Amino acid sequence: MKLEAANAKAMLNVYNEIIKKPGSPYALKALNCCVEAYKYAILSFEKVPSKLVEDPQIVNYDVAIMVPKLLIVKRN
Protein backbone atom coordinates (compact mmCIF):
# COMPACT_ATOMS: atom_id res chain seq x y z
CA MET A 1 0.00 0.00 0.00
CA LYS A 2 2.93 2.31 0.62
CA LEU A 3 4.01 1.79 -2.98
CA GLU A 4 0.50 2.54 -4.24
CA ALA A 5 0.36 5.69 -2.10
CA ALA A 6 3.71 6.81 -3.54
CA ASN A 7 2.54 6.07 -7.09
CA ALA A 8 -0.69 7.99 -6.49
CA LYS A 9 1.28 10.97 -5.12
CA ALA A 10 3.49 10.94 -8.21
CA MET A 11 0.45 10.94 -10.50
CA LEU A 12 -1.15 13.70 -8.45
CA ASN A 13 1.97 15.80 -9.03
CA VAL A 14 1.74 15.13 -12.77
CA TYR A 15 -1.91 16.22 -12.85
CA ASN A 16 -1.12 19.33 -10.84
CA GLU A 17 1.60 20.26 -13.34
CA ILE A 18 -0.76 19.73 -16.28
CA ILE A 19 -3.40 21.92 -14.61
CA LYS A 20 -0.91 24.81 -14.50
CA LYS A 21 -0.68 24.82 -18.30
CA PRO A 22 -3.30 26.59 -20.40
CA GLY A 23 -6.09 24.38 -21.66
CA SER A 24 -9.79 24.11 -22.30
CA PRO A 25 -12.30 24.46 -19.45
CA TYR A 26 -13.49 20.90 -20.11
CA ALA A 27 -9.97 19.53 -19.77
CA LEU A 28 -9.49 21.51 -16.56
CA LYS A 29 -12.72 20.12 -15.13
CA ALA A 30 -11.66 16.56 -15.99
CA LEU A 31 -8.21 17.09 -14.52
CA ASN A 32 -9.69 18.46 -11.32
CA CYS A 33 -11.82 15.32 -11.03
CA CYS A 34 -8.66 13.25 -11.41
CA VAL A 35 -6.90 15.30 -8.74
CA GLU A 36 -9.77 14.73 -6.31
CA ALA A 37 -9.77 10.99 -7.03
CA TYR A 38 -6.04 10.75 -6.41
CA LYS A 39 -6.26 12.78 -3.19
CA TYR A 40 -8.93 10.39 -1.93
CA ALA A 41 -6.89 7.38 -3.02
CA ILE A 42 -3.79 8.64 -1.24
CA LEU A 43 -5.74 9.08 1.98
CA SER A 44 -7.22 5.60 1.61
CA PHE A 45 -3.88 3.95 0.90
CA GLU A 46 -2.27 5.71 3.85
CA LYS A 47 -5.02 4.46 6.19
CA VAL A 48 -4.52 0.83 5.22
CA PRO A 49 -1.89 -0.07 7.86
CA SER A 50 -4.11 1.10 10.72
CA LYS A 51 -7.21 -0.52 9.21
CA LEU A 52 -5.32 -3.77 8.69
CA VAL A 53 -4.88 -4.07 12.45
CA GLU A 54 -8.58 -3.32 13.02
CA ASP A 55 -10.19 -5.43 10.30
CA PRO A 56 -8.51 -6.93 7.21
CA GLN A 57 -11.86 -7.13 5.37
CA ILE A 58 -12.15 -3.32 5.42
CA VAL A 59 -8.78 -3.08 3.68
CA ASN A 60 -9.88 -5.52 0.99
CA TYR A 61 -13.02 -3.47 0.41
CA ASP A 62 -11.12 -0.16 0.18
CA VAL A 63 -8.62 -1.57 -2.29
CA ALA A 64 -11.34 -3.23 -4.35
CA ILE A 65 -13.16 0.11 -4.62
CA MET A 66 -10.21 2.48 -5.16
CA VAL A 67 -8.05 0.62 -7.67
CA PRO A 68 -10.71 0.37 -10.42
CA LYS A 69 -11.60 4.06 -9.94
CA LEU A 70 -7.97 5.06 -10.38
CA LEU A 71 -7.64 2.90 -13.46
CA ILE A 72 -10.63 4.69 -15.00
CA VAL A 73 -9.12 8.08 -14.17
CA LYS A 74 -5.75 7.02 -15.56
CA ARG A 75 -7.29 5.90 -18.88
CA ASN A 76 -9.17 9.16 -19.34
Side-chain angles (χ1 to χ4, degrees):
M1 289 298 108
K2 289 181 183 181
L3 177 60
E4 289 302 322
N7 289 341
K9 286 178 184 178
M11 283 305 300
L12 179 61
N13 290 336
V14 169
Y15 284 122
N16 283 328
E17 287 301 315
I18 294 171
I19 287 173
K20 293 177 186 176
K21 298 176 183 176
S24 75
Y26 297 109
L28 183 60
K29 185 176 179 180
L31 288 168
N32 281 325
C33 288
C34 292
V35 165
E36 290 307 312
Y38 273 92
K39 285 180 182 178
Y40 181 76
I42 291 166
L43 290 174
S44 293
F45 288 138
E46 288 175 344
K47 288 180 185 178
V48 166
S50 63
K51 285 184 179 180
L52 192 56
V53 172
E54 294 171 19
D55 185 359
Q57 288 300 97
I58 293 174
V59 174
N60 289 339
Y61 176 78
D62 286 354
V63 171
I65 296 299
M66 286 311 305
V67 171
K69 286 184 180 182
L70 290 178
L71 292 174
I72 291 168
V73 169
K74 213 172 196 179
R75 280 186 284 202
N76 295 331

